[in-house]
Amino acid sequence: MSKLKTNTIQHTGGSADNITLDNSQNVTAEGNLTVDGNLTVSGTSTISGYNPTSSRNNRNLIINGACNVAQRGTSSTSSNYATVDRFKLNTTGTDEAPTQAQVDVGSSDLPFTKGLTKAYKITNGNQTSGAGSGDRIVIQHRLEAQDIRNSGWNYTSTSSYVTLSFYVKSSVAQNFFGKVKTSDGTSQNYPFETGSLSADTWTKITKTISGNSNLQFDHNNGQGLEIEFTIFRGTDETGSVTLNQWAAFSGSTHTPDNTSTWYTTNDATLEITGVQLEVGSVATDFEHKSYGDELARCQRYYERNTCTWAGYTAASQGNGSLRVYYNTTKRAAATLSVVTAATSVQNLTSQNLGDAKVDGFVVDTRIGSSGYGRFYDLLAASDAEL
Amino acid sequence: MYKLRDSTFQNYQKEVIRKSDGVVIPFDGENTDYQEYLKWVDEGNTAEAAD
């Protein structure tokens, strides 16, 4: 066995050392070090300039980007928030309402191979009168101002970025537009396009968006940023606007004029999943979360609670109240509604929901006559969406 | 379209009922349904009085 004794190693064509050795068993790689195999470090690692972009937790600012949570149901012909949590279907002027649904992603489809097995699907109705100038079918995702302000994005700097990425599939080959819009101060709009999509083919779209000195995000729970996937907007809301740059928002120019092929195709479909918005100029792999973690994030905006109560009065009538505390503190005091009426209602003249606070609400009951009053399994919904 | 509801308990806050679907909207400026109600009032409309 031979031993090489030297203090430095230098490339034959180089002018400086590549590797330096000292008499304390230390080795210094003077330039870049590439390890094709595994790297094992038995001691402490000190890595300056380490940028763990793909392993940083909570980097996805989108809630329910994998479309796994659907507290309200899995299919609906209603607009607004009705199926997949945090995704709002905004429509107007349609002849027949589109259907929104949480659907399975095919096991051989691109998102599935990335661990994304659910999607948000819009199925067009039959728009018999064609594409009207005031018609609209868009998907929106709204984020709180404080969550953008404190995300780590230096949003007033043109050299600081956020990156939006998502998977989309349309049954109709078409270019679609979208936009990112701010709410605080003078509202700013950043329109973008998907590029021409092939029919029935999942495509990953990535948009890197710079900051701008006109952007403002207040430290509050109001709407700060709206991300829109524009399926169709009529010409009342579209026009001359420049893609991929910030400009003051105008309600008459959300995006350039839209192609109407999808909108005028009966039962056309569009699916979206894997939606991610992250600080930085690189689209990292989708950040997967457990169902429980994502549900809790969704419940800041919408939660359902099952309520049961029993009481007694010796008088001819009496009152009772049940305060229900949420699993997750709400963004704001919530709008209350009954999803499913109580069963086994006994001796009660009313059960009213009210007194909404960010941490809960009250079911107010009236007992009609002396004796016991009770109800079981009243399913209440609390909506504090943006 | 809307109907006001008075407090039924001492600590109840004011609320408004949206008659189309019966939901109970709190008087909270950050609630988007309440913001819509205020916009409706600004347009010159008046909610039904409480019972």
Side-chain angles (χ1 to χ4, degrees):
Chain A
M1 179 177 141
S2 61
K3 181 179 289 186
L4 174 64
K5 285 197 170 187
T6 183
N7 294 337
T8 61
I9 298 175
Q10 185 181 114
H11 189 268
T12 54
S15 59
D17 296 339
N18 295 69
I19 296 175
T20 303
L21 312 175
D22 69 16
N23 58 8
S24 300
Q25 295 185 300
N26 298 313
V27 179
T28 301
E30 303 293 351
N32 297 326
L33 177 65
T34 301
V35 180
D36 290 333
N38 298 324
L39 179 65
T40 302
V41 180
S42 300
T44 302
S45 300
T46 302
I47 306 175
S48 59
Y50 179 50
N51 183 16
T53 42
S54 62
S55 61
R56 196 176 69 242
N57 290 331
N58 295 315
R59 66 184 182 280
N60 191 1
L61 298 170
I62 302 294
I63 297 172
N64 200 27
C67 304
N68 287 325
V69 179
Q71 294 184 83
R72 298 168 177 84
T74 56
S75 182
S76 174
T77 54
S78 298
S79 58
N80 216 324
Y81 298 96
T83 55
V84 174
D85 278 56
R86 306 287 8 267
F87 286 87
K88 174 177 180 170
L89 182 64
N90 182 332
T91 71
T92 190
T94 56
D95 299 307
E96 183 182 18
T99 300
Q100 59 170 299
Q102 181 198 47
V103 296
D104 291 328
V105 174
S107 60
S108 61
D109 288 345
L110 174 63
F112 194 99
T113 66
K114 306 296 182 183
L116 297 158
T117 67
K118 295 286 185 182
Y120 185 47
K121 180 177 182 179
I122 310 302
T123 303
N124 197 12
N126 192 358
Q127 311 311 337
T128 53
S129 61
S133 62
D135 294 356
R136 180 197 313 144
I137 300 179
V138 302
I139 299 168
Q140 294 172 327
H141 188 97
R142 296 173 172 175
L143 300 162
E144 292 179 48
Q146 59 192 353
D147 290 337
I148 303 301
R149 179 184 176 92
N150 301 313
S151 66
W153 181 28
N154 185 15
Y155 50 85
T156 59
S157 168
T158 55
S159 59
S160 183
Y161 301 90
V162 287
T163 298
L164 174 67
S165 57
F166 56 95
Y167 295 85
V168 62
K169 181 176 80 168
S170 167
S171 64
V172 173
Q174 186 188 311
N175 177 47
F176 291 91
F177 293 110
K179 74 176 202 284
V180 178
K181 182 172 78 73
T182 69
S183 297
D184 292 329
T186 300
S187 179
Q188 302 291 310
N189 188 38
Y190 188 101
F192 63 84
E193 63 182 348
T194 61
S196 184
L197 301 180
S198 300
D200 299 317
T201 304
W202 281 102
T203 304
K204 184 174 183 179
I205 306 296
T206 298
K207 297 292 167 185
T208 297
I209 301 166
S210 67
N212 183 281
S213 60
N214 294 317
L215 302 188
Q216 179 178 330
F217 298 102
D218 296 339
H219 193 88
N220 62 33
N221 57 357
Q223 181 176 316
L225 197 68
E226 177 184 86
I227 298 168
E228 177 178 300
F229 309 97
T230 310
I231 299 176
F232 179 74
R233 279 186 185 271
T235 52
D236 288 353
E237 299 177 329
T238 63
S240 179
V241 62
T242 305
L243 293 174
N244 304 318
Q245 70 179 42
W246 290 104
F249 171 72
S250 166
S252 60
T253 53
H254 289 250
T255 68
D257 288 346
N258 288 195
T259 302
S260 61
T261 313
W262 190 98
Y263 188 76
T264 55
T265 301
N266 188 24
D267 294 333
T269 62
L270 184 135
E271 296 175 60
I272 190 169
T273 191
V275 185
Q276 181 152 286
L277 180 72
E278 59 195 306
V279 176
S281 58
V282 176
T284 66
D285 289 346
F286 185 81
E287 181 189 15
H288 296 278
K289 293 187 174 70
S290 71
Y291 182 86
D293 287 349
E294 202 72 277
L295 174 63
R297 283 155 55 94
C298 292
Q299 285 180 332
R300 177 167 170 79
Y301 306 90
Y302 184 86
E303 182 174 337
R304 288 183 170 184
N305 302 92
T306 301
C307 315
T308 292
W309 178 90
Y312 174 82
T313 179
S316 58
Q317 60 181 9
N319 299 338
S321 66
L322 169 68
R323 173 154 280 278
V324 178
Y325 289 96
Y326 294 133
N327 293 315
T328 303
T329 300
K330 293 290 159 287
R331 180 191 65 85
T335 296
L336 306 171
S337 62
V338 175
V339 178
T340 306
T343 60
S344 301
V345 178
Q346 178 185 353
N347 201 23
L348 299 180
T349 58
S350 67
Q351 306 148 262
N352 291 321
L353 307 182
D355 199 24
K357 303 275 196 298
V358 295
D359 65 348
F361 63 94
V362 164
V363 187
D364 170 34
T365 64
R366 303 295 174 91
I367 301 176
S369 58
S370 62
Y372 288 103
R374 66 182 181 184
F375 67 86
Y376 292 106
D377 295 342
L378 184 155
L379 183 60
S382 299
D383 185 334
E385 292 282 4
L386 286 162
Chain B
M1 191 154 183
Y2 292 98
K3 182 174 183 176
L4 296 171
R5 189 167 83 181
D6 282 341
S7 304
T8 51
F9 280 107
Q10 185 177 356
N11 293 327
Y12 262 25
Q13 54 198 15
K14 295 284 187 182
E15 292 155 343
V16 60
I17 309 298
R18 188 167 63 203
K19 294 180 68 178
S20 60
D21 55 7
V23 300
V24 182
I25 301 170
F27 275 32
D28 182 332
E30 294 299 334
N31 181 295
T32 55
D33 293 317
Y34 184 62
Q35 291 168 358
E36 279 187 21
Y37 164 71
L38 292 179
K39 185 179 175 185
W40 181 79
V41 171
D42 286 345
E43 291 169 351
N45 300 296
T46 304
E48 291 179 26
D51 292 332

